[in-house]
Amino acid sequence: MLEIKPIINAMLRSKVGAILLLIQIAITTAIVSNAAFIISDRLTYLKQDTGYHEQALFTFNVMTFGRDVNIDQQIELDEAMLRQIPGVIDASLMQTIPLSGSGSASGFGEKPEPEEGKRVRASYMFGDEHALNTLGVKLSEGRNFSDDEIVVHGSDGKQTAPSVVIASKAFTDEMFPEGNGLGKTIYMEDKPVQIIGIVERMAGAWLRDSKPFNVLIIPLVKTDTIQDFVVRTAPGQRAQVMAQIEDKMQALYDKRVVREIEGFDLLKSKYNAKDTLMLRMLVVLIVVLVLVTALGVFGLTLFNISKRTKQIGTRRALGARKSAIIRYFLVENALISVSGLVIGSVAAYLLGQQLMKVFSLPALPLSFIVFTALSVLAMSLLSVLAPAKRAADISPSIATRSI
C-alpha cells in the first residue's frame, strides 16, 4: 500500500540527494533542540520575579565637588526633600543598587573566622530604616531596623560595626535549613550580627549570580562625596518624579552633579543586554536552519519529480490516482526525515551534554528533543506537499508523448 520497497529502490538509485537531506535534518534537529532549550531557559531567567516593583523604582548618583558643605547633614536634607516630592513613597541613600551588576558579596558563617564552620555566600547592601520601604519588599518574619541600630560611617571617622541584619528567605533557608533563621547570629568574618528580619524575596546586584536571592541588608550608612539614592514612587508617577530630581537636588545645593537617573527596569535591561542579544541570535539561527531545511526538502522533491516525470506519467496512464502520487512522495520524504530525526535526536542529546559541561547549562529535557523532532517532521511533510501535488497534476498524455 505504501510502496516502501519501490521507494527505497528509487532512493538508492539517487542516494546523494537523500543523504544530504538526511544530514541536513539531523543537524537541524540537534541544533534547534538545544537552541530552543537555551531560549526557554533564558526567558525563564529574564522573566523571573526579582522581588521589586521595577517600574516604580529608580536610582540616581550624586557627585559632590563643593567643599563648603557638611556631607552628613546634606544627605539628611536630600532624603527629607525627596520624601516630600508628590508621588514619592519613600527614598533612601543606599550603597549597592539591586539589579545593577555592581555590588559586594561575602561568605557569612555560623562561626567567627578563623573557626571552621558552615559558610553561605550572599550579596549585601547598606541601608537605613527606610531601605525596606523604599525597595518595596515585605518582611515575612521579624522586624525592621530601629533608628538606634543604624550605624553611620561619616565625616567623624567612626567605624562602629552593625550588630543586626535583615536577610532574604533564600539566605536563611540555606544557612538554617530547619527554618529557624530569625534571631540567629551569623558572622561576617569575625563580627557577629543577629538576623532580626527575613524578607520573602529580594534580588541582589547580580541576577546571573549562582545565588542571586541570597541577600543581606546591613544597617550602615556611609556618607561620602559620591552617593547613590533609591526612590520608590506611586504607580504611574515615576517619570514625572524622575524629571524633577536634578532641579530639586541642585536647588538644595548646587556644587554637585546629579547623573545616571535610571529606572530599575532599565538597570535590569542593561545588565541582561547580553542575554537578550543571545536570545535574538538564537531565534535567527532557528529560523534560518528551519528555512534552509524546508528549502532543501522542497528542492529535492522538485528534483526527483523532474527526474521521474516519465515514471509518474506512466503510472498516471496506468490508472494511478493523484492521491497515490502525492502519497508516494510523502512516504519517501517521511523515510528520509525519520532517519535524519533519529540521528539528530542522538546528536541533540550528546550536544546537550557537552553544553551542560562547558557552559553549566541544565540538562536538555527529552521533551525539547521530541517536540523539535515532531516539528521538523511536520515542516518536512508540509514542504513536500506542494511539489507532490504538482507531480500529481502531470498529465498522462504528456508522459505518453515523452515515451
Side-chain angles (χ1 to χ4, degrees), residues 349-402:
Y349 173 78
L350 296 175
L351 179 59
Q353 294 294 308
Q354 290 302 313
L355 291 174
M356 188 170 63
K357 291 178 183 176
V358 177
F359 298 106
S360 301
L361 289 173
L364 175 65
L366 181 62
S367 58
F368 276 84
I369 300 178
V370 173
F371 179 77
T372 302
L374 292 176
S375 299
V376 171
L377 178 60
M379 176 274 298
S380 178
L381 292 177
L382 286 174
S383 298
V384 83
L385 197 57
K389 285 182 177 178
R390 181 178 173 182
D393 289 335
I394 291 176
S395 170
S397 60
I398 293 176
T400 303
R401 285 199 298 269
S402 67

Side-chain angles (χ1 to χ4, degrees), residues 10 20 38 42 55-56 60 62 162 201 213 230 241 254 263 268 274 291 293-294 341 344 388:
L20 289 176
I38 293 173
R42 289 296 85 187
Q55 285 71 31
F60 63 95
V62 178
R201 188 177 181 85
F213 296 98
V230 175
V241 174
D254 61 357
K268 180 181 172 184
K274 291 181 180 177
L291 282 177
T293 304
L341 291 174

Side-chain angles (χ1 to χ4, degrees), residues 58-60 62 78-79 82 92-93 227-231 249:
F58 72 92
T59 179
F60 63 95
V62 178
D78 292 339
E79 288 183 322
L82 291 170
S92 180
L93 175 75
Q227 308 117 28
D228 289 308
F229 290 87
V230 175
V231 180
M249 291 292 287

Side-chain angles (χ1 to χ4, degrees), residues 205-219:
W206 309 282
L207 282 176
R208 278 193 293 272
D209 192 282
S210 60
K211 295 172 182 176
F213 296 98
N214 279 10
V215 183
L216 300 178
I217 300 178
I218 299 173

Side-chain angles (χ1 to χ4, degrees), residues 312 315-328 392:
I312 296 168
R315 291 191 62 191
R316 293 280 290 125
L318 292 175
R321 306 177 68 175
K322 290 185 177 182
S323 60
I325 302 298
I326 294 173
R327 185 172 61 244
Y328 177 93

